[in-house]
Amino acid sequence: MVLTCPVRTDVDARTTGLTRRAVLGATGLVAVATVGGCRWGGDTPAKPPAPDPLAAFLAGTVALAERYDAAVTAHPDLAGRLTPIRDDHRAHAAALTAEIDPTSARPSTSANPSPTEAASSVPSDPATLLSGLRSAEQAAHRDAVAACLAARTPRRAALLGSIAACRATHVEALA
């Protein structure tokens, strides 16, 4: 950086113009203020990062897998039909967790009820259970399509599109 201004070095410079000392002092103050950021009022607290847009979608995916856990616990005779779908939802939750936070291995479900606690709210009639699961899959499919269309990156769009396609097959498998 080059600063140019008339600088007088003679004896009457104190009354007629800027001295070299004054110019250097002012330049130093400007540099310190610029580098220091002029934070005289104390540090302002940093804003916490915004939650990932996929966090709610992940929570819904985990809840859907837990719903299948409860259904299999309450109706072991349907395990052959429902377990592969539940496993798909678990795989989706793992992929979403890895996308949201690559350092995390799998989603946390410690605040959710155990499958045996959730099984008490499962309908006793298998037809009613399958109808409820089919409705849940249809809603989950719509959510996946909406999330895919709103994805900010091609990688997320591909992941969410794959999940949407899988959920569409679940709807048909439960028909």
Side-chain angles (χ1 to χ4, degrees):
M1 171 167 41
V2 177
L3 298 174
T4 59
C5 68
V7 177
R8 299 205 174 186
T9 56
D10 57 334
V11 177
D12 37 289
R14 286 173 256 189
T15 59
T16 60
L18 297 173
T19 64
R20 191 169 293 185
R21 182 177 288 167
V23 170
L24 290 175
T27 303
L29 284 176
V30 169
V32 168
T34 302
V35 173
C38 293
R39 300 184 98 174
W40 295 30
D43 289 341
T44 57
K47 287 185 179 180
D52 193 289
L54 289 181
F57 187 78
L58 170 61
T61 301
V62 169
L64 198 54
E66 289 171 349
R67 188 168 178 178
Y68 278 95
D69 280 336
V72 168
T73 301
H75 296 277
D77 53 315
L78 295 175
R81 187 172 181 186
L82 300 180
T83 301
I85 297 172
R86 181 217 41 214
D87 293 344
D88 285 346
H89 289 298
R90 285 182 178 169
H92 298 160
L96 289 165
T97 300
E99 179 64 26
I100 291 171
D101 182 10
T103 62
S104 189
R106 47 180 240 150
S108 171
T109 59
S110 60
N112 298 317
S114 70
T116 53
E117 291 171 2
S120 64
S121 64
V122 173
S124 59
D125 178 38
T128 305
L129 170 70
L130 292 173
S131 175
L133 288 173
R134 188 166 196 267
S135 294
E137 284 290 349
Q138 288 170 331
H141 174 255
R142 285 190 299 273
D143 291 345
V145 169
C148 178
L149 293 174
R152 293 187 218 160
T153 64
R155 176 185 169 102
R156 285 190 174 193
L159 173 63
L160 293 165
S162 176
I163 291 172
C166 190
R167 288 180 179 180
T169 63
H170 295 166
V171 170
E172 294 304 316
L174 292 170

